[in-house]
Amino acid sequence: MNYANQFDSIVFFTGAGISAESNVPTYRGKGGIWEKYDWQSLACQRAFDQNPERVLEFHEFRRSLVYNCKPNPAHNTISQLEQTKAVFVVTQNIDGLHQKAGSGNVVELHGSLWRLRCDYCGRQIEDLNRKYRSKKCACGQWLRPAITWFEDSLESGVFAQAHSLIESCDLFISIGTSGSVWPAAGLPQIAFDGKAHCIELNLEKTEYSPMYNETYFGLAGTILPSLFQFK
Ligand code: NAD
């Protein structure tokens, strides 16, 4: 099957599984960071308000875990496809690997490890270094990692953008997500309700598999390139 020529507008909805072959550490389950570290003192707004330096240091450590990770053939297939048609990525990942692969149209539902924001003056700062260039804003306040922490809500503008892209696509491909983190997990339903052909790619069956028109089980880095052949 070659999907490259059959659809005009494609949304890839990605989760941690697409980055597994790039060796990005998982968050939950065995060996995941939340088994070792306490999110309540390191990854929520209350923790940041109480001790911004400690939270920033922890996020510098999280950046160091991902800093040397490289996009894999699944990320690369998506960015290559973007050169020939309307391709959008709606990702739950914060690792920046879609952009590293060259994708330009990326909606980051949960923010990015590589961005900081100042909640006082509103500045957004991109910082791709392993260590933060600065932990303080030019206005003098602490910068906050621009990621969705535990107990945070998703940015409404970002969610609305994802909603509208998914509503209007004609091919929707979910890759490497268990569908257990809400409200992101509700987004595929928009594709099921619309005109899109829906494909799921995962290592194993998920609770949502029966809703898809087609399912592929296996490694994203092997299966995705086989679905899109470029001339
Ligand atoms: P998840 O960990 O709940 O599920 C990952 C899914 O990917 C599983 O269903 C698994 O079977 C599948 N998978 C694993 N390896 C795969 C591979 N090589 N090919 C295809 N599928 C594979 O992840 P989730 O649904 O994204 O939810 C986790 C939450 O944690 C998200 O909110 C995300 O923001 C965050 N997270 C992000 C990263 C990252 O930025 N890379 C990593 C871990 C977790």
Side-chain angles (χ1 to χ4, degrees):
M1 178 64 82
N2 183 5
Y3 293 96
N5 303 319
Q6 296 179 33
F7 297 94
D8 295 322
S9 170
I10 308 175
V11 169
F12 291 93
F13 176 62
T14 65
I18 195 170
S19 295
E21 292 159 74
S22 297
N23 297 320
V24 174
T26 57
Y27 287 4
R28 287 165 300 170
K30 211 171 173 302
I33 62 167
W34 304 126
E35 207 179 56
K36 272 201 232 140
Y37 300 95
D38 172 29
W39 66 261
Q40 302 193 357
S41 57
L42 296 166
C44 65
Q45 187 63 45
R46 275 177 298 129
F48 183 71
D49 293 341
Q50 277 160 19
N51 193 339
E53 247 177 314
R54 182 172 61 193
V55 169
L56 282 159
E57 234 166 69
F58 177 66
H59 283 77
E60 212 158 45
F61 161 70
R62 290 180 76 180
R63 285 156 68 100
S64 75
L65 297 176
V66 177
Y67 186 76
N68 287 323
C69 293
K70 297 195 171 38
N72 66 57
H75 298 102
N76 293 335
T77 298
I78 296 172
S79 65
Q80 205 178 340
L81 199 60
E82 193 186 291
Q83 289 162 28
T84 59
K85 51 184 70 212
V87 169
F88 303 91
V89 178
V90 174
T91 189
Q92 297 168 77
N93 296 342
I94 58 171
D95 55 33
L97 286 182
H98 285 294
Q99 290 91 335
K100 235 184 193 179
S103 286
N105 303 324
V106 185
V107 177
E108 292 173 312
L109 290 170
H110 297 155
S112 171
L113 272 174
W114 310 106
R115 240 181 0 262
L116 293 147
R117 68 173 201 240
C118 176
D119 284 343
Y120 290 87
C121 73
R123 273 193 187 83
Q124 290 261 356
I125 290 153
E126 188 182 53
D127 182 346
L128 302 176
N129 297 323
R130 182 195 286 264
K131 295 237 164 215
Y132 289 122
R133 276 197 306 270
S134 170
K135 293 178 183 155
K136 289 254 177 113
C137 181
C139 77
Q141 299 292 338
W142 289 105
L143 288 164
R144 178 210 194 278
I147 61 180
T148 307
W149 280 328
F150 290 91
E151 300 176 336
D152 282 350
S153 305
L154 292 200
E155 272 181 53
S156 63
V158 170
F159 196 75
Q161 197 188 355
H163 193 293
S164 128
L165 289 170
I166 294 171
E167 204 169 34
S168 54
C169 72
D170 59 7
L171 178 61
F172 176 84
I173 306 189
S174 155
I175 305 173
T177 175
S178 62
S180 53
V181 174
W182 288 83
L187 286 169
Q189 188 63 48
I190 300 162
F192 304 150
D193 291 343
K195 61 183 163 93
H197 185 73
C198 298
I199 297 176
E200 181 184 49
L201 201 174
N202 199 302
L203 279 185
E204 57 194 18
K205 238 183 175 178
T206 69
E207 155 187 9
Y208 302 95
S209 299
M211 312 285 282
Y212 285 86
N213 301 106
E214 290 180 84
T215 47
Y216 292 90
F217 300 117
L219 295 172
T222 306
I223 293 180
L224 197 65
S226 75
L227 302 182
F228 294 94
Q229 284 100 49
F230 303 98
K231 294 218 174 79

